[in-house]
Amino acid sequence: MNPSITGFDYQRVTVAEDVALNVAVGGSGSPIVLLHGFPQTHLMWRHVAADLAADHTVICPDLRGYGASDKPAGDAYAKRTMAADIVALARALGHDRFALAGHDRGALVAIRAGLDHPEAVTHLASLDVLPTLDMWDVMHGVSAAVGFHLYLMAQPPGLPEELIGAAPDAFFGHFLDIWTQDPQAIPAEVRAAYLRACREAVPSIVADYRASAGIDVEHDRADRAAGRQLRMPVTVLQQDWGAALGFDAAGIWRAWAPDLEHRTVSCGHYMAEEAPAEVVKALRGLLSR
C-alpha cells in the first residue's frame, strides 16, 4: 500500500479527454496547488501540505505521467498541456484563482501555468529550477554532466526508454541519492513508493523530459520574444547552482518575474522534504504579498 498525506482526502479528477489526475486535498481557506518534481510524486509535499492545511485548501496532484495519475502515450507532455491540466483541476475543485508552487518538473509546469493563465495564478513559487529556455542556456562543457539525464531523455523515442527501463531502480534511485544532503528526509517507505511509481512510468517520464528539449523551448522562446512575464508575486528557492555553473540565477529569474523574491538555500534539492519549515515560511511569505 502506498503511503499517503495524513488527513488528506484522495480523489481522481478528470482534467482533459481521457486524462484524470490522482489528487490529495486537505485543509480549508484560500487555495494553493503544490506540484511535485522528479523522480517523485505528490508525497514529496507531505510535511509542507500538512502545515499549510491549517489555513489553506491544499491541493497536491500527481502530474500527468507520474504517480497514480493517467499516463497518455505519445507527445502529450508539453508543459502547456500539463499546465492546462492544473488549471482544469483547480476549477473542478471549485477554484478559478489559486496560488501555485512547484518543485523541479512541477515548477516548470507552474511557470508555464503562470505565463499561460495569469488570470488564474495569484502567486507563484519555484523550487530549484530555472525556466526551461535558460536551463539549456547555462549548460556548458563538462559542468553540464550534472544534467546528463536531460540529454539522455531528449533523444528520439526508443533508446532512452529501453536503457532506463532495463534498470529503473538504479536510474531513478541515483537521483534520490545524489541530490539529497539528508538521506533520512526520504524514509524507506517513501523512497520505495517513488521508485515503484517511476518504474511504472518510464515512457511518460521520458516523454515529459523530451518535451522540455523541444516544444517547451519553442513556447519559452515565443514568450521571451513577445515580452511576456510572470506578473504575479514570485518566490524562487534554489540551491546555489549559479555559483557552481557560472550564471546569475537571480538575474535570469528577474527577466521573467519583475515582482521577485529569490533565495538560495543550504539544503539539498529535495528541500520540501529536507527543510519543510523553510519552504513553508517562504510560501507563507509569498502568500502575504
Side-chain angles (χ1 to χ4, degrees), residues 140-251:
H140 298 294
V142 294
S143 64
V146 69
F148 81 93
H149 60 300
L150 302 172
Y151 296 92
L152 171 62
M153 290 191 275
Q155 303 310 307
L159 183 64
E161 293 88 341
E162 184 174 353
L163 292 177
I164 296 166
D169 287 9
F171 181 76
F172 297 114
H174 169 77
F175 300 102
L176 294 173
D177 292 337
I178 68 166
W179 288 348
T180 182
Q181 290 184 17
D182 176 14
Q184 303 306 311
I186 303 178
E189 68 274 13
V190 173
R191 180 188 175 92
Y194 291 159
L195 292 179
R196 183 166 55 250
C198 289
R199 199 183 307 135
E200 296 170 352
V202 171
S204 52
I205 291 173
V206 174
D208 167 36
Y209 273 84
R210 186 176 288 122
S212 286
I215 189 66
D216 296 343
V217 173
E218 293 178 24
H219 291 156
D220 278 11
R221 282 189 180 131
D223 281 341
R224 178 167 285 173
R228 294 190 190 96
Q229 293 178 305
L230 298 163
R231 293 294 178 180
M232 66 289 296
V234 174
T235 289
V236 173
L237 300 179
Q238 284 187 294
Q239 297 180 90
D240 202 358
W241 288 111
L245 297 176
F247 63 88
D248 175 10

Side-chain angles (χ1 to χ4, degrees), residues 39-282:
Q40 298 163 294
T41 69
H42 75 282
L43 272 178
M44 62 153 283
W45 293 109
R46 60 197 178 276
H47 307 306
V48 172
D51 192 315
L52 291 175
D55 46 11
H56 294 279
T57 299
V58 183
I59 301 165
C60 301
D62 289 332
L63 296 168
R64 76 157 60 195
Y66 289 82
S69 290
D70 287 345
K71 303 168 181 65
D75 300 329
Y77 295 91
K79 299 308 150 300
R80 175 158 287 162
T81 303
M82 297 173 78
D85 287 348
I86 302 310
V87 174
L89 169 66
R91 284 185 181 144
L93 295 174
H95 308 291
D96 288 331
R97 288 169 56 77
F98 55 91
L100 184 55
H103 174 256
D104 189 84
R105 308 304 295 172
L108 300 180
V109 176
I111 293 162
R112 178 45 56 195
L115 289 167
D116 285 1
H117 304 277
E119 76 292 343
V121 180
T122 63
H123 302 76
L124 192 147
S126 169
L127 276 57
D128 220 27
V129 295
L130 291 174
T132 302
L133 184 59
D134 303 289
M135 174 189 73
W136 291 113
D137 284 347
V138 303
M139 306 287 269
H140 298 294
V142 294
S143 64
V146 69
F148 81 93
H149 60 300
L150 302 172
Y151 296 92
L152 171 62
M153 290 191 275
Q155 303 310 307
L159 183 64
E161 293 88 341
E162 184 174 353
L163 292 177
I164 296 166
D169 287 9
F171 181 76
F172 297 114
H174 169 77
F175 300 102
L176 294 173
D177 292 337
I178 68 166
W179 288 348
T180 182
Q181 290 184 17
D182 176 14
Q184 303 306 311
I186 303 178
E189 68 274 13
V190 173
R191 180 188 175 92
Y194 291 159
L195 292 179
R196 183 166 55 250
C198 289
R199 199 183 307 135
E200 296 170 352
V202 171
S204 52
I205 291 173
V206 174
D208 167 36
Y209 273 84
R210 186 176 288 122
S212 286
I215 189 66
D216 296 343
V217 173
E218 293 178 24
H219 291 156
D220 278 11
R221 282 189 180 131
D223 281 341
R224 178 167 285 173
R228 294 190 190 96
Q229 293 178 305
L230 298 163
R231 293 294 178 180
M232 66 289 296
V234 174
T235 289
V236 173
L237 300 179
Q238 284 187 294
Q239 297 180 90
D240 202 358
W241 288 111
L245 297 176
F247 63 88
D248 175 10
I252 286 171
W253 266 105
R254 204 165 289 113
W256 288 103
D259 185 358
L260 174 71
E261 183 166 323
H262 186 281
R263 300 187 204 170
T264 55
V265 299
S266 58
C267 61
H269 178 63
Y270 303 113
M271 55 187 72
E273 291 169 290
E274 294 188 56
E278 185 174 355
V279 172
V280 167
K281 182 179 179 182

